[in-house]
């Protein structure tokens, strides 16, 4: 029940502990050590002391370690999924999908570890560059701090730990307070497969204490953060010259043009809106449907949403469960009430049933309502009518966020126009913004952050380019 910190390859007691409760049942599931300044300091020292070894480690060895992590997770995949379901309240089938992706992410990292390379630079393109040859290499940065959110406690950790180790860095991982068990699970596996002591350290506890210590320590060379914009901006402001990658929130939208194939589009949009109760950074929050298709779309959407079942996340039949914390449910309900006061109509959901907030569909939502212009991060979607795709694009872009957007259209010119005009990090043509596979470049613009993940791209963020120039 009492867990330990993982520092320098050893399991270490905390000075203080905090109770961890399951979001859905409210039961006590573990006692979690709360790392203090000293523990963080030890973790950074351990990471620093293994740096030289990691730097010298040949690519095939780094690759083999990452492949072994992937295989261990695959062997223990059901255990991993149940852990996620328990600590994050994620329905078990969705948790299994996360584990499958986590395995892929480490496999991609194992593959990319072998392909970290530079290019030759034709120096004689500049007068005075004659008689010289130059090439670039990529070197590890050193110690990387990884700070992760609760909503994908394994795969978003994999998106940081995988590329960091692939590039030869050591990692101090600070998982979200609600989901430390997935991080301890990874540490156990790292130990089993022989990741060198100190190459991965897990420090759990409050974000403000550990975060502050990591962000300000000069031995940390990069901070890779996924979480809310408020925290991300705070980190950036205090990080000084450290490399910073920020994967932040969004109020992602999808546009539905005329003649949609409702049988394909609607189930996909329902999945995008309500998977893990909308607690996904690229969850479908806003749907803009062209006037001619609107009524049929809404009707089909409600029918499809009605098929979803709420309940215990550990049961096979469950599609949605309680949100991560009762205060998040309260906040979401308050935003729904505000939208209603501003003229929105609630077509389904909109009231809690016990601990669960069921899928909520709103229409006629004005853009200034928080469920439209801010990140809901809950089981709420709005479906608004538009007269043209151009109008829909203006509405999508009228947001402080820009992570991904989607458009369903049968017209290639409209698709290309949307691809050019949408102000986001990724445009999905004929799919929802929620589409992601783990090797594609992924990240946002505006308040959705900067820097890219997707293993190869994260390796670029977590390594330093060096130029070597020879004069003949
Ligand atoms: P959060 O509250 O921002 O927390 C994220 C992490 O930051 C947690 O580990 C948290 O620790 C830590 N933290 C809190 N305060 C800190 C501080 N002052 N300094 C350093 N670290 C600190 O986010 P969340 O509620 O876990 O996750 C939801 C958010 O993540 C949403 O906005 C979502 O869109 C975003 N997200 C983005 C992506 C993406 O790829 N773009 C993916 C998933 C989620 P504690 O848990 O101890 O507070």
């Amino acid at each position: 029940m009492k867990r330990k910190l993982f520092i320098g390859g050893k399991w270490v007691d905390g000075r203080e502990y905090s109770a961890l409760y399951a979001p859905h049942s409210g039961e006590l599931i573990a006692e979690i050590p709360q790392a203090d300044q000293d523990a963080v300091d030890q973790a950074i020292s351990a990471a620093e002391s293994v740096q030289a070894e990691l730097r010298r480690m040949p690519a095939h060895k780094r690759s083999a370690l990452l492949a072994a992590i992937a295989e261990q997770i695959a062997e223990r995949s059901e255990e991993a999924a149940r852990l996620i379901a328990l600590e994050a309240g994620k329905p078990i089938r969705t948790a299994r999908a996360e584990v499958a992706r986590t395995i892929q992410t480490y496999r991609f990292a194992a593959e990319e570890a072998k392909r970290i390379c530079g290019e030759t630079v034709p120096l004689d393109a500049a007068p005075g560059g004659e008689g010289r040859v130059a090439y670039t290499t990529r070197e590890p940065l050193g110690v990387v701090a990884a700070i992760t959110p609760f909503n994908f406690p394994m795969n978003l950790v994999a998106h940081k730990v995988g590329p960091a180790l692939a590039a030869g860095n050591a990692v101090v991982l600070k998982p979200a307070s609600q989901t430390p068990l997935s991080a301890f699970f990874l540490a156990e596996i790292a130990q089993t497969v022989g990741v060198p002591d100190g190459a991965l350290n897990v420090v759990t506890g409050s974000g403000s204490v550990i975060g502050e210590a990591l962000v300000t320590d000069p031995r940390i060379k990069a901070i890779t953060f996924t979480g809310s914009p408020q925290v991300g901006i705070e980190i950036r402001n205090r990080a000084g010259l450290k490399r910073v990658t920020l994967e932040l929130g969004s109020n992602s939208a999808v546009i539905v043009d005329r003649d949609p194939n409702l049988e394909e589009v609607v189930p996909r949009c329902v999945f995008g809106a309500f998977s893990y109760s909308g607690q996904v950074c690229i969850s479908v929050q806003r749907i803009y449907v062209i006037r001619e298709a609107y009524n049929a779309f809404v009707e089909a959407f409600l029918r499809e949403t009605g098929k979803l079942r709420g309940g215990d996340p550990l049961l096979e039949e469950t599609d949605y469960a309680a949100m991560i914390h009762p205060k998040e449910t309260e906040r979401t309900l308050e935003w729904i009430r505000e939208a209603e006061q501003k003229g929105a109509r609630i077509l389904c959901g909109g009231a809690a049933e016990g601990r669960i907030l069921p899928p909520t569909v709103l229409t006629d939502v004005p853009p200034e309502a928080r469920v439209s212009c801010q990140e809901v991060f809950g089981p709420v979607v709005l479906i608004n009518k538009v007269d043209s795709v151009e109008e829909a694009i203006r509405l999508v872009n009228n947001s402080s966020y820009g992570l991904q957007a989607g458009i369903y259209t049968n017209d290639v010119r409209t698709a290309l126009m949307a691809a050019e005009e949408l102000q986001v990090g990724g445009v999905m043509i004929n799919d929802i913004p929620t589409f992601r596979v783990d090797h594609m470049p992924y990240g946002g613009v505006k308040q959705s952050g900067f820097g890219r993940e997707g293993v190869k791209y994260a390796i670029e963020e977590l390594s330093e380019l060096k130029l070597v120039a020879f004069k003949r």
Side-chain angles (χ1 to χ4, degrees):
M1 191 64 126
K2 248 189 174 176
R3 304 303 306 257
K4 294 180 186 223
L5 304 166
F6 187 65
I7 297 176
K10 298 198 172 51
W11 294 96
V12 182
D13 285 320
R15 287 204 187 108
E16 284 181 32
Y17 279 78
S18 163
L20 179 67
Y21 298 98
H24 185 80
S25 64
E27 69 176 308
L28 177 69
I29 47 179
E31 299 275 343
I32 303 301
Q34 303 294 295
D36 53 16
Q37 181 79 41
D38 269 1
V40 176
D41 185 57
Q42 284 165 27
I44 300 173
S45 298
E48 214 185 19
S49 62
V50 74
Q51 243 308 283
E53 180 185 342
L54 291 177
R55 231 184 138 81
R56 280 193 310 269
M57 187 183 278
H60 70 82
K61 270 202 169 168
R62 277 181 271 132
S63 172
L65 284 173
L66 288 159
I69 290 178
E71 293 329 302
Q72 276 288 312
I73 300 175
E75 265 177 38
R76 296 173 63 182
S77 60
E78 187 57 21
E79 183 193 343
R82 297 189 81 77
L83 215 51
I84 297 173
L86 188 67
E87 68 174 353
K90 183 174 284 192
I92 187 72
R93 283 178 286 120
T94 316
R96 284 192 194 114
E98 178 178 348
V99 174
R101 281 185 54 190
T102 306
I103 295 163
Q104 283 189 39
T105 304
Y106 284 112
R107 285 187 183 144
F108 278 126
E111 290 163 10
E112 289 299 336
K114 297 187 208 165
R115 307 197 259 263
I116 300 175
C117 55
E119 57 187 359
T120 55
V121 185
L123 290 185
D124 66 348
E130 295 88 342
R132 287 176 164 82
V133 205
Y135 64 90
T136 61
T137 58
R138 288 208 160 262
E139 297 194 335
L141 295 177
V143 182
V144 169
I147 305 178
T148 51
F150 74 83
N151 64 337
F152 286 86
M154 281 203 197
N155 197 31
L156 291 182
V157 165
H159 270 287
K160 302 190 180 307
V161 172
L165 294 181
N169 299 294
V171 183
V172 179
L173 167 64
K174 187 269 179 261
S177 288
Q178 181 57 45
T179 53
L181 302 181
S182 299
F184 291 140
F185 176 81
L186 172 67
E188 272 173 36
I189 284 180
Q191 203 174 26
T192 308
V193 304
V195 169
D197 292 350
L200 172 68
N201 306 275
V202 179
V203 284
T204 50
S206 149
S208 48
V209 176
I210 302 174
E212 173 71 22
L214 289 173
V215 172
T216 53
D217 194 296
R219 294 168 295 173
I220 299 282
K221 297 296 180 257
I223 301 158
T224 166
F225 172 82
T226 300
S228 60
Q230 303 88 287
V231 177
I233 290 165
E234 217 178 286
I235 288 177
R236 176 91 201 276
N237 288 341
R238 285 180 300 149
L241 289 179
K242 292 182 175 67
R243 199 70 80 79
V244 179
T245 304
L246 299 178
E247 298 290 346
L248 310 178
S250 191
N251 58 349
S252 300
V254 60
I255 300 169
V256 181
D257 196 5
R258 54 184 62 82
D259 297 326
N261 173 356
L262 292 179
E263 272 178 33
E264 181 207 327
V265 175
V266 169
R268 203 62 193 135
C269 288
V270 169
F271 164 81
F274 300 126
S275 183
Y276 190 34
S277 292
Q279 299 168 119
V280 175
C281 49
I282 35 177
S283 180
V284 173
Q285 183 175 325
R286 301 178 289 156
I287 307 179
Y288 298 110
V289 185
I290 208 93
R291 184 172 291 278
E292 301 91 291
Y294 187 77
N295 289 342
F297 182 92
V298 172
E299 204 177 291
F301 195 94
L302 288 174
R303 233 185 355 257
E304 192 66 26
T305 303
K307 294 180 191 166
L308 300 177
R309 278 180 289 183
D312 183 339
L314 285 150
L315 297 178
E316 292 297 324
E317 62 266 27
T318 296
D319 295 299
Y320 60 88
M323 288 176 70
I324 197 71
H325 196 278
K327 72 178 188 327
E328 284 299 298
T329 314
E330 259 319 300
R331 175 193 55 80
T332 309
L333 283 166
E334 193 191 314
W335 289 20
I336 295 169
R337 282 194 291 272
E338 181 215 40
E340 200 179 16
Q341 279 156 15
K342 289 184 189 304
R345 290 196 307 137
I346 302 176
L347 299 195
C348 70
E353 294 170 4
R355 290 175 81 96
I356 300 181
L357 176 57
T360 298
V361 178
L362 306 176
T363 58
D364 307 298
V365 178
E368 68 277 14
R370 280 179 290 184
V371 292
S372 178
C373 65
Q374 294 190 26
E375 180 182 37
V376 176
F377 219 60
V380 181
V381 70
L382 67 89
I383 313 178
N384 276 9
K385 202 182 292 169
V386 289
D387 286 317
S388 65
V389 170
E390 286 81 353
E391 180 192 350
I393 292 174
R394 275 196 299 280
L395 288 163
V396 175
N397 287 344
N398 181 20
S399 167
S400 49
Y401 296 107
L403 194 45
Q404 296 205 132
I407 176 166
Y408 283 97
T409 181
N410 300 317
D411 184 332
V412 73
R413 275 171 298 230
T414 304
L416 286 168
M417 189 240 316
E420 268 177 39
E421 298 295 328
L422 287 166
Q423 295 160 3
V424 288
V427 177
M428 306 300 130
I429 309 289
N430 290 326
D431 210 340
I432 48 176
T434 325
F435 175 79
R436 181 181 185 189
V437 285
D438 295 284
H439 61 305
M440 73 187 215
Y442 177 79
V445 300
K446 303 195 238 177
Q447 277 198 41
S448 293
F450 61 81
R452 291 292 178 268
E453 291 197 333
V455 180
K456 173 180 158 198
Y457 307 92
I459 287 175
E460 285 172 11
E461 305 277 345
L462 297 177
S463 59
E464 193 72 74
L465 187 86
K466 182 186 260 183
L467 174 84
V468 181
F470 278 82
K471 185 163 182 286
R472 282 180 208 278

